Amino acid sequence: GAVVSQHPSWVICKSGTSVKIECRSLDFQATTMFWYRQFPKQSLMLMATSNEGSKATYEQGVEKDKFLINHASLTLSTLTVTSAHPEDSSFYICSAILSGGNQPQHFGDGTRLSIL
Amino acid sequence: GESVGLHLPTLSVQEGDNSIINCAYSNSASDYFIWYKQESGKGPQFIIDIRSNMDKRQGQRVTVLLNKTVKHLSLQIAATQPGDSAVYFCAENDGNDMRFGAGTRLTVKP
């Protein structure tokens, strides 16, 4: 149980392109989803917390207009990297939890984004 | 500031030996702790968790120990196998935020 699917797993595109990444909870309803960014050999850096039906809460230093998050349903959140540039190249990972409080986050398998 | 960190960035063990991965935390308000395993090119996978009202919890081949006095968390893997090779992250949660440690890379030698 508690499976999170992330799509696509790998994207290569030209600079200036906008890229959408989907995160779905397959067998549970996720009240909250999280988006992380991970650089090679580093830990996960939280970008934003997304609650269904409300605006995402972004971490300090994360540009809201650059990284658009939509959480339209209890099973789907999307992250759009707008006008992506090479410095946006990274591994993006989403996670979801069943409810608030102390629960483990269940992670997707990440999206490798490479901007040329 | 408060942080979660790891004592050892890398750990190499012989197949069949036991592994111990350590984690220090500094947020005294943290009451929930999790260990994740991340294989190359994949997302973190939940291994085991422990709440602050416990000091030990066992799973299949894994044991998590929590010492709240010194704010220390450890993950013990029994009879380490090649498939255990990965990066292991500890995470702490104070009811509001979850923070991840830097990670320890475990390499299992055949």
Side-chain angles (χ1 to χ4, degrees):
Chain A
V3 176
V4 174
S5 174
Q6 193 171 336
H7 179 80
S9 58
W10 193 24
V11 180
I12 302 176
C13 58
K14 295 181 180 179
S15 183
T17 306
S18 291
V19 179
K20 180 184 283 188
I21 302 170
E22 292 186 349
C23 181
R24 295 181 184 271
S25 55
L26 296 185
D27 53 357
F28 68 101
Q29 292 187 325
T31 56
T32 305
M33 289 185 171
F34 305 86
W35 287 97
Y36 292 86
R37 185 172 179 176
Q38 187 177 34
F39 291 103
K41 299 183 180 180
Q42 294 190 22
S43 188
L44 289 79
M45 182 187 78
L46 180 65
M47 299 174 66
T49 301
S50 170
N51 290 295
E52 184 265 339
S54 61
K55 290 183 179 180
T57 302
Y58 289 81
E59 295 298 300
Q60 189 174 7
V62 179
E63 298 177 58
K64 300 178 182 181
D65 296 331
K66 177 74 172 178
F67 300 99
L68 300 178
I69 292 173
N70 183 281
H71 194 160
S73 75
L74 285 170
T75 59
L76 174 65
S77 177
T78 61
L79 167 68
T80 301
V81 183
T82 61
S83 187
H85 291 285
E87 59 266 27
D88 299 321
S89 298
S90 190
F91 193 52
Y92 293 87
I93 312 174
C94 72
S95 70
I97 57 173
L98 280 161
S99 61
N102 289 337
Q103 296 287 339
Q105 292 181 23
H106 301 281
F107 288 85
D109 268 343
T111 297
R112 173 75 57 194
L113 177 62
S114 297
I115 308 298
L116 305 177
Chain B
E2 298 186 328
S3 63
V4 178
L6 290 170
H7 294 305
L8 296 172
T10 60
L11 177 64
S12 183
V13 300
Q14 203 69 38
E15 181 178 357
D17 287 351
N18 297 332
S19 303
I20 300 177
I21 301 172
N22 297 301
C23 181
Y25 68 95
S26 56
N27 185 357
S28 56
S30 293
D31 58 1
Y32 179 57
F33 305 86
I34 309 169
W35 280 101
Y36 287 96
K37 171 186 180 183
Q38 186 177 26
E39 296 177 276
S40 180
K42 295 187 177 181
Q45 176 186 5
F46 172 84
I47 300 174
I48 192 168
D49 59 359
I50 188 168
R51 302 186 190 279
S52 59
N53 60 350
M54 301 174 67
D55 52 21
K56 180 179 180 179
R57 191 166 187 222
Q58 289 184 295
Q60 187 177 10
R61 283 201 306 119
V62 295
T63 301
V64 56
L65 298 177
L66 175 62
N67 186 329
K68 295 181 288 294
T69 303
V70 296
K71 298 187 181 68
H72 185 268
L73 188 70
S74 69
L75 176 70
Q76 300 179 2
I77 304 173
T80 314
Q81 303 169 358
D84 295 326
S85 294
V87 176
Y88 290 81
F89 293 98
C90 65
E92 59 166 343
N93 193 316
D94 62 2
N96 293 311
D97 299 314
M98 178 171 288
R99 299 182 184 184
F100 289 84
T104 292
R105 178 172 296 280
L106 175 65
T107 301
V108 181
K109 297 177 289 184

